[in-house]
Amino acid sequence: MVAALVLAGGLYAVFAPQAQAQEEPGNRAAAAEGEALFEVGCITCHGRSAGGVEGRGPSLINVGGASVEFQVGSGRMPLARQEAQALRKPPLYTDEEVRQLAAYIESLGVGPVVPDDVDALVEDANLARGGELFRINCSQCHAFGGGGGALSSGKFAPSLYPASDRIIYAAMLSGPQNMPVFGDTTLTPEEKADVIAYIQQVIQSDTDPGGFNLGRYGPSTEGVAIFLVGIVALVFASLWIAGKS
């Protein structure tokens, strides 16, 4: 039994994808750089070896690199103060440093990781399918125009306009704040790329084929505009008819 366990463990260590990724020299070097960055900028809240500090920050064991790429890459971390929701800010780390921090957190456990071929997937994406998936899964919170919207308890779905392809992909994998997790069993990598391509090429574009966008907030601003214009027109029409009579 002992020999069988040793053999099974050895085979897993050799052939498991996660183990192979951690053994690559490039990943080890990036993780070492990320650990140095972590000890300077993150250890105060997340503790030594990313184990977490009560009342300050959670453990990052088994969180995965996707969460790091979203939180740090969008400037939400380091957190300035405790609020209902972390706010997007200009990032304090470069893209390379964000990848290094993500590599360090990846080395501490198993968690979702943003694939390296995201750009290639987005280039070959299906915009029509991406629009359908966005309307089904994302528009309820981020609005049809991607401008975001209010949620409960002081939280909100942020605007999608400044988001890059890797940030969006990382958000779908990690499910930050109130956002659900869209794992590969829910949306395949190709479907995630379709959604990203739709956001970048349709929502984030400056073109408005329907005319003036009224802030892209959806039917609320359109209803207000129609009400104001319609009521004013009816008042003037009533005055004109009364004057003629």
Side-chain angles (χ1 to χ4, degrees):
M1 183 178 295
V2 173
L5 289 173
V6 171
L7 179 62
L11 290 174
Y12 179 83
V14 171
F15 293 106
Q18 185 70 21
Q20 289 179 352
Q22 291 180 358
E23 288 299 321
E24 294 179 3
N27 286 349
R28 290 202 304 269
E33 295 290 341
E35 184 177 8
L37 293 170
F38 181 89
E39 291 179 351
V40 173
C42 314
I43 195 172
T44 302
C45 294
H46 293 288
R48 294 188 178 276
S49 301
V53 177
E54 186 176 358
R56 291 185 182 179
S59 170
L60 300 181
I61 308 298
N62 293 326
V63 165
S67 180
V68 177
E69 289 207 39
F70 175 79
Q71 299 290 354
V72 181
S74 63
R76 288 172 169 83
M77 296 291 164
L79 193 64
R81 60 184 180 274
Q82 294 289 341
E83 295 180 285
Q85 182 167 320
L87 301 179
R88 179 168 47 210
K89 307 182 298 296
L92 297 180
Y93 296 91
T94 64
D95 291 341
E96 182 180 2
E97 291 173 335
V98 171
R99 299 282 188 90
Q100 291 170 349
L101 282 168
Y104 171 62
I105 298 303
E106 289 169 20
S107 70
L108 300 179
V110 179
V113 178
V114 179
D116 294 330
D117 59 345
V118 171
D119 294 334
L121 289 173
V122 173
E123 288 179 3
D124 299 331
N126 185 328
L127 280 180
R129 184 172 64 172
E132 181 180 356
L133 291 171
F134 178 87
R135 289 187 290 273
I136 293 173
N137 297 286
C138 315
S139 61
Q140 295 91 336
C141 296
H142 293 285
F144 287 97
L151 302 175
S152 60
S153 303
K155 299 181 180 181
F156 61 92
S159 169
L160 300 176
Y161 289 98
S164 65
D165 53 357
R166 291 190 68 88
I167 291 295
I168 300 172
Y169 202 108
M172 287 192 282
L173 282 180
S174 60
Q177 275 85 50
N178 281 17
M179 182 172 174
V181 176
F182 294 96
D184 290 344
T185 57
T186 305
L187 291 179
T188 65
E190 291 74 19
E191 289 175 332
K192 291 186 182 71
D194 293 341
V195 174
I196 294 171
Y198 176 77
I199 292 172
Q200 290 181 335
Q201 298 182 36
V202 178
I203 292 180
Q204 292 182 351
S205 66
D206 294 329
T207 59
D208 291 297
F212 186 52
N213 58 49
L214 296 175
R216 294 189 178 184
Y217 289 110
S220 56
T221 52
E222 296 170 1
V224 170
I226 292 172
F227 178 80
L228 293 177
V229 173
I231 289 297
V232 171
L234 288 174
V235 168
F236 277 102
S238 300
L239 293 174
W240 182 79
I241 293 172
K244 285 291 184 180
S245 62

